[in-house]
Amino acid sequence: MTLSGIYTAAVDRIVDGKHAVLLVENDEGETIDEKVVPVTELPEQAQDELGLVSVKFADDSPIEYTYLQTETQKRRESIKETLDRISTPLSERTEDE
């Protein structure tokens, strides 16, 4: 698949402190591609795992990044809530969990 246009991408992991693995998402939030880019190309706030960026692609190459602060915060809160919920013993959970 050749990417062209603007997509949301999640920083999945940082490798060697030099490269970021981006999981590129479609409009439904499903991962459609994976790209490895120099971490220094990302906005400073996004240079850690779980950061979200808007990425503009041209001919499958990322050419512009914008940090998505609000979306990053929401995603991190959602992950934390999920981890808290699954780490709670079943005997301590309420009916709505």
Side-chain angles (χ1 to χ4, degrees):
M1 169 181 216
T2 300
L3 298 176
S4 188
I6 299 173
Y7 295 84
T8 297
V11 179
D12 182 54
R13 61 192 177 277
I14 305 295
V15 181
D16 302 336
K18 297 178 182 179
H19 297 92
V21 178
L22 302 179
L23 301 180
V24 182
E25 302 174 353
N26 63 15
D27 291 337
E28 289 79 41
E30 300 168 331
T31 300
I32 58 169
D33 206 345
E34 181 178 295
K35 298 292 182 189
V36 178
V37 300
V39 73
T40 55
E41 286 187 6
L42 297 175
E44 188 174 329
Q45 309 96 312
Q47 293 181 7
D48 65 351
E49 295 167 350
L50 300 180
L52 292 177
V53 290
S54 174
V55 185
K56 183 176 183 180
F57 286 91
D59 295 323
D60 212 38
S61 296
I63 59 172
E64 185 178 321
Y65 302 90
T66 304
Y67 179 62
L68 302 174
Q69 181 176 355
T70 302
E71 292 84 348
T72 296
Q73 186 174 10
K74 287 179 184 178
R75 175 104 32 122
R76 287 180 176 171
E77 288 171 4
S78 175
I79 290 169
K80 182 186 179 315
E81 288 171 7
T82 299
L83 290 174
D84 288 347
R85 188 175 59 251
I86 64 175
S87 66
T88 303
L90 289 175
S91 61
E92 296 178 16
R93 292 187 189 178
T94 61
E95 287 184 24
D96 61 339
E97 294 182 303

